[in-house]
Amino acid sequence: MSLRDHLYELRNRLGWALLFLTIGSVFGFIWWSWRILGAPSLGDIIISPYCGIPLEDRFNQNQECQLLQTQPFEAFMIQLKVGAAAGAVLTSPLWLNQLWRFIAPGLYAKERKFALIFVGVASLLFLAGAVLAFYVVPQGLSVLVGFGDNKFLTALSGTAYIDFVLALLIIFGVSFELPLVVVMLNAVGILPYEKLKRWRRGLVFGLFVFAAFATPGTDPISMVALAISLALLFEMATQIARLHDKRKARKRVEEGFGPEENWDKLSDDEASPFDYTPTQVEDSGTAGRTATQAAPPQAQAAQAQAAQAQGQGQPVQPQSPAQPTPPAAQPERRVNYDDDAT
């Protein structure tokens, strides 16, 4: 395909992807207040963590769980934002398939397999992080509203609450991609198991520090839940790296590159201990030929003439060996040197 055809293909794929995203956003906007087959609506699902706060600690009117609308069109914008996010998640197989169909023709079969595994595992990890965050929100809010010795009443605005929940879902989902990154770096040889084992304590401490800064809320529940989850996932990735390095070392031994050579520890200026003595190679193509078949064309022609003359009773004249053709004379090269040349 030419560059113009590639641009047309990209335009078509992006157009279909945007169409699927638009359809998903419309569906999510309608789902906000629509209970499908008795299932809870999207609004009920999003507000349910806020409703987990004890009734005596939050603002309620007519014993209902409601958020505050502090500015015009706030409810409409929240419904549009949440509907678009839910629609993008629900239609992700469709618009991601369009992007994949644009990229896949330029990949080898092995690269396609690794890409599909990467996307599948990444999607599952992101979903697991989002689900954990969704269950952590009620506990975190309960801890936050517990301060003040019942001198305060919690009345959250819709925008502040929705932004808090969406940020927590995204942060947990993206953070759960950590083991996948570690396994990929180990697979390409950048992060071997020995380094992970040596840096384990520092990396776990760094994960707790990252969780403290990454969580949008100031509650300890979200921070501890994210840090412990990341530490467990990191340990899982470390064990996967250990098994990968062990299998790789066993394969090197089977191929004759065992640890006894210690070639990996050689400096860049030191030659590898290979045997550079040349060995004699027999030409298998001429091994089964006869002497006549292996002779050059000039010799074969001379032998044919001799056999014909002998059959007719004529004396055979000895053939002089073929003289090699002298190489063509090379033109004389003259170089002029300036007096000031160095």
Side-chain angles (χ1 to χ4, degrees):
M1 296 176 64
S2 62
L3 177 60
R4 183 179 62 180
D5 294 335
H6 278 293
L7 294 178
Y8 286 161
E9 178 74 10
L10 178 61
R11 182 193 62 182
N12 295 334
R13 297 301 180 190
L14 290 179
W16 280 106
L18 292 177
L19 178 61
F20 291 136
L21 287 173
T22 303
I23 295 175
S25 301
V26 173
F27 174 78
F29 185 85
I30 299 174
W31 185 27
W32 175 269
S33 56
W34 181 24
R35 292 176 174 84
I36 306 175
L37 300 177
S41 63
L42 181 60
D44 295 337
I45 296 174
I46 294 297
I47 301 178
S48 59
Y50 172 72
C51 298
I53 300 175
L55 186 62
E56 62 274 8
D57 294 334
R58 60 178 170 83
F59 175 79
N60 64 84
Q61 185 179 8
N62 300 325
Q63 303 298 320
E64 294 183 1
C65 181
Q66 294 175 322
L67 297 172
L68 294 179
Q69 181 177 203
T70 58
Q71 53 185 347
F73 300 105
E74 183 177 3
F76 173 79
M77 295 303 299
I78 290 175
Q79 185 175 350
L80 183 62
K81 181 190 301 184
V82 176
V89 173
L90 293 177
T91 60
S92 58
L94 299 177
W95 56 267
L96 284 176
N97 179 60
Q98 296 298 320
L99 299 181
W100 172 253
R101 292 177 65 179
F102 177 76
I103 299 174
L107 302 178
Y108 293 105
K110 186 177 182 180
E111 295 173 343
R112 293 195 194 101
K113 182 183 69 174
F114 285 141
L116 289 176
I117 295 175
F118 174 81
V119 173
V121 175
S123 301
L124 293 177
L125 289 175
F126 187 90
L127 182 61
V131 171
L132 177 62
F134 189 79
Y135 284 101
V136 164
V137 171
Q139 286 73 20
L141 291 177
S142 299
V143 172
L144 292 177
V145 302
F147 296 98
D149 194 20
N150 296 328
K151 299 298 190 298
F152 299 92
L153 187 66
T154 303
L156 299 178
S157 65
T159 302
Y161 172 76
I162 295 299
D163 291 344
F164 170 76
V165 173
L166 291 181
L168 202 63
L169 293 176
I170 294 175
I171 289 173
F172 269 69
V174 173
S175 300
F176 268 50
E177 307 295 335
L178 171 68
L180 185 60
V181 175
V182 173
V183 171
M184 288 181 58
L185 293 178
N186 174 260
V188 298
I190 299 178
L191 200 60
Y193 169 72
E194 294 299 329
K195 290 185 179 180
L196 292 174
K197 182 180 179 180
R198 188 166 59 251
W199 299 345
R200 178 177 294 168
R201 295 182 179 180
L203 291 175
V204 171
F205 176 77
L207 292 177
F208 275 83
V209 175
F210 168 78
F213 283 96
T215 49
T218 57
D219 62 292
I221 302 298
S222 302
M223 187 269 291
V224 173
L226 180 60
I228 293 178
S229 302
L230 291 180
L232 294 177
L233 291 174
F234 173 75
E235 183 63 28
M236 184 185 303
T238 302
Q239 297 304 319
I240 294 176
R242 180 179 67 85
L243 296 177
H244 175 267
D245 289 354
K246 183 182 296 186
R247 183 179 61 182
K248 184 178 179 180
R250 184 169 60 251
K251 186 176 180 181
R252 287 176 58 87
V253 171
E254 294 175 355
E255 295 177 352
F257 298 93
E260 61 274 2
E261 288 86 358
N262 293 324
W263 292 352
D264 295 336
K265 298 181 180 180
L266 295 177
S267 63
D268 296 338
D269 299 331
E270 186 176 358
S272 301
F274 289 110
D275 185 9
Y276 297 100
T277 304
T279 58
Q280 184 178 2
V281 178
E282 297 181 358
D283 188 2
S284 59
T286 60
R289 299 183 189 176
T290 61
T292 304
Q293 294 174 342
Q298 295 84 355
Q300 293 181 9
Q303 293 175 4
Q305 294 178 0
Q308 183 179 4
Q310 186 177 3
Q312 296 176 358
Q314 300 178 0
V316 180
Q317 300 293 333
Q319 300 290 334
S320 60
Q323 298 296 330
T325 304
Q330 298 294 334
E332 182 180 359
R333 298 179 58 187
R334 297 184 179 182
V335 181
N336 296 328
Y337 296 95
D338 297 333
D339 296 334
D340 298 335
T342 57

